[in-house]
Every structure is written in C-alpha cells, then in structure tokens.
Amino acid sequence: MVSLTSARLVRNRKARDRAAPTLERPGVGWAIPGLVFFLVFAVAPMVGVLYLSLTSWDGLNAPQFTGLANWSRFIDDGQIWQSTLVTGVLLVGNIAVQAPVSILLGVWSAGHQRNRAVLSAIFFLPLLLSTAATAVMWRQLLDPNFGVPAKLGALFGDSNVLGTQKGAIVCLIVVTSWQFVPFHSLLYQGAARAIPNTLYQAAEIDGAGRVRQFIHITLPQLRNTMVTSTTFMVIGGLTAFDIVLLLTNGGPGTDTSILPFSMYQTAFRTYDYGYASAIASFLLLLATGASLALMKISGYDKMTSTLEGL
C-alpha cells in the first residue's frame, strides 16, 4: 500500500513539473562579452604575474627564468611573514568594526525617520573623498605637534599615536572604517528596504519588539548582503595600499608594512620585479582562498535564487 501511494505521488509530481511553465534562460552567447573581458583583463595578467614570479627581472632587460628561486626566498623571508601577520590583523580589525556599524547604519537609514535623508547624506560624505585626500586629512588631524592628540594629551599620552605599531594599526583601522562604512551601509540600506513589510506586521501581531524583529527578521533577511559585504571587506583589506603609503608609509619602521606595501617597495624601489611578482601571486592565492572559505562557511554556494538565475 505504501509503495502504491509513493508511486502515485511521484507520478503526480512529474505531472505538475511537466505542466509548470519553464523559465526561458539566456543563451550562452550572452556570456561571451563577459568571458572575453575576464580573460583579457583578469586571467591574462594573472598568468603573466605567475610567470614573472619564476624569473629575475629588473624591469629593463629581458626576464631570466630562475625556477622557484623567488619562492624559496619568499619562504625564508621573515619580513614577508611579519607583513602577512599585519595584513591579517588589519583585515580582522576592519571587519570587526565595519560589519556591525554598517549593518546598524544601513538598517537605520532604510527607515522613515525625520531628517533621515539629511543625516544619511552627512554620513555618506566620506565615500565621496578619495583615499589620498582622506589619508592627508587624517595625517594632519593625528599630527603629534598640532593635531587632535596634541590638544588632548590626557587621552593620547605623548600624542605621537602613529609612532607605535599598536597606535598606527588602530589609526589605520579607524581611518579605513571611517571611509568605507558608508559604502557597506548603502548595500545594507538597499537590502533592508527589500524586506517585505508583512514580516514585521506579523511579528508585531505576535508581540515581538524592535530588538526581536531585528534579530529574527532583519538579520536573516540580510544574510546574502552580509556575505557580499564581507567579501568586499576581505578583498579590500588584502589589497589596501594607498592608505598605508600615505598615512604611515609602512612605519614606524616596518611595523605596518602590509603585503601590498611590501610588493610596492620590492617592485618600484628595489626594481626586483620577479620577487614582487611572487608576493603578488601569494596575495592572489590568499584572496582567492579567503573568498572561497567565506562562501563555504556562509553556505552562499548553496543559496538559490527565486528568479532561477534571471
């Protein structure tokens, strides 16, 4: 009896699938422009950098193939591993600060509060400034002679906050977060506005307050945006360069010399493009591995779209 019932259910399901309208998917030809662009501007440069990492090249003469010499030097280079550690600390610090602030600010700005538009415009002003302008402005603000630390000696001690590794790293996290929180808030603002209002109305009928609605409705509905935003933070943290160059110049000493900064120094100050390519290749592998791990941990690779890819 059970087997007959199961067979009937299977036949009914197949009949419904045949009767259901099928969505017309775009043909493969739609992907050709994107594939060509990706091959020319992404794959080809990556292959070139991987090849250069196996050579010795000063940028003028023809590259000389040296095999794995640059990679052997890379493994034994203590400065590179220190740069990797500093890069990781900055990355974790930026995510820990930017993620919660961006979620709260984005959800708040998606509401209908009074003067919300004016306040949102003020909050988003840092997004309009270039990184160079931001770094120069904050360097002046943090100047130990006439900046904010000099005026508030009781809080900042000797006022030279960029003179220690801990102080410089904290300043880099604060400045980077100040600049990029508005971008991530925009992502969360758009996602929060797409949440159906009926969910909140049903929660209010059940007696749920604002906090419970935020935890049980808003945060789960923002899951996809969280993955996207965090991926941007990871990639941005691993490729950040200009803010370090202009704010701390890798100092004090080499205490804030992150991997992109080390790559820049190796390539454009010592003209050792082969070893710099090895550092760039390591950064590429690190960013790819971090992005894939984030997708796997978050379950993003198993999420499905209600539009079936359209």
Side-chain angles (χ1 to χ4, degrees), residues 36-60:
V36 171
F37 187 87
F38 182 73
L39 289 173
V40 172
F41 294 102
V43 176
M46 285 190 289
V47 173
V49 168
L50 286 173
Y51 170 73
L52 287 177
S53 70
L54 304 175
T55 67
S56 175
W57 187 38
D58 59 3
L60 295 175

Side-chain angles (χ1 to χ4, degrees), residues 14-235:
K14 289 181 178 179
R16 286 198 304 270
D17 293 341
R18 286 194 297 269
T22 57
L23 293 173
E24 184 180 355
R25 293 177 179 276
V28 179
W30 289 74
I32 291 178
L35 287 174
V36 171
F37 187 87
F38 182 73
L39 289 173
V40 172
F41 294 102
V43 176
M46 285 190 289
V47 173
V49 168
L50 286 173
Y51 170 73
L52 287 177
S53 70
L54 304 175
T55 67
S56 175
W57 187 38
D58 59 3
L60 295 175
N61 301 304
Q64 301 295 320
F65 186 78
T66 57
L68 298 176
N70 286 324
W71 288 101
S72 298
R73 176 185 168 190
F74 181 92
I75 294 173
D76 297 332
D77 192 344
Q79 177 58 43
I80 288 297
W81 294 114
Q82 179 187 338
S83 299
T84 304
L85 178 61
V86 174
T87 304
V89 171
L90 283 174
L91 177 63
V92 173
N94 280 323
I95 293 176
V97 173
Q98 293 183 36
V101 175
S102 300
I103 292 174
L104 294 175
L105 187 57
V107 171
W108 174 83
S109 60
H112 302 282
Q113 302 87 346
R114 188 178 182 184
N115 298 324
R116 174 187 55 81
V118 175
L119 293 174
S120 296
I122 295 174
F123 288 144
F124 295 147
L125 276 178
L127 194 60
L128 304 178
L129 301 177
S130 67
T131 304
T134 299
V136 171
M137 180 187 71
W138 276 95
R139 191 171 180 86
Q140 297 299 317
L141 288 173
L142 297 172
D143 191 280
N145 298 311
F146 53 81
V148 174
K151 306 298 181 184
L152 301 175
L155 294 177
F156 296 96
D158 62 356
S159 73
N160 189 13
V161 293
L162 294 176
T164 63
Q165 184 185 38
K166 184 179 179 181
I169 288 177
V170 171
C171 289
L172 284 171
I173 293 174
V174 170
V175 174
T176 305
S177 300
W178 179 83
Q179 184 181 17
F180 290 107
V181 158
F183 168 74
H184 297 285
S185 296
L186 279 177
L187 297 179
Y188 287 113
Q189 182 191 56
R193 285 180 173 173
I195 300 175
N197 195 38
T198 53
L199 296 177
Y200 295 102
Q201 293 172 346
E204 287 181 357
I205 293 174
D206 292 339
R210 289 293 181 88
V211 176
R212 291 186 62 187
Q213 291 179 24
F214 178 77
I215 295 175
H216 295 288
I217 297 177
T218 305
L219 288 181
Q221 293 291 321
L222 296 179
R223 183 183 176 190
N224 292 352
T225 307
M226 288 180 190
V227 177
T228 303
S229 174
T230 307
T231 303
F232 278 133
M233 292 178 190
V234 170
I235 296 174

Side-chain angles (χ1 to χ4, degrees), residues 217-274:
I217 297 177
T218 305
L219 288 181
Q221 293 291 321
L222 296 179
R223 183 183 176 190
N224 292 352
T225 307
M226 288 180 190
V227 177
T228 303
S229 174
T230 307
T231 303
F232 278 133
M233 292 178 190
V234 170
I235 296 174
L238 291 175
T239 57
F241 163 70
D242 41 6
I243 191 70
V244 174
L245 175 68
L246 296 171
L247 190 61
T248 66
N249 197 26
T254 58
D255 286 345
T256 58
S257 179
I258 58 176
L259 283 172
F261 186 79
S262 298
M263 179 185 65
Y264 161 76
Q265 284 193 313
T266 305
F268 297 105
R269 292 188 179 178
T270 62
Y271 303 105
D272 190 352
Y273 292 95

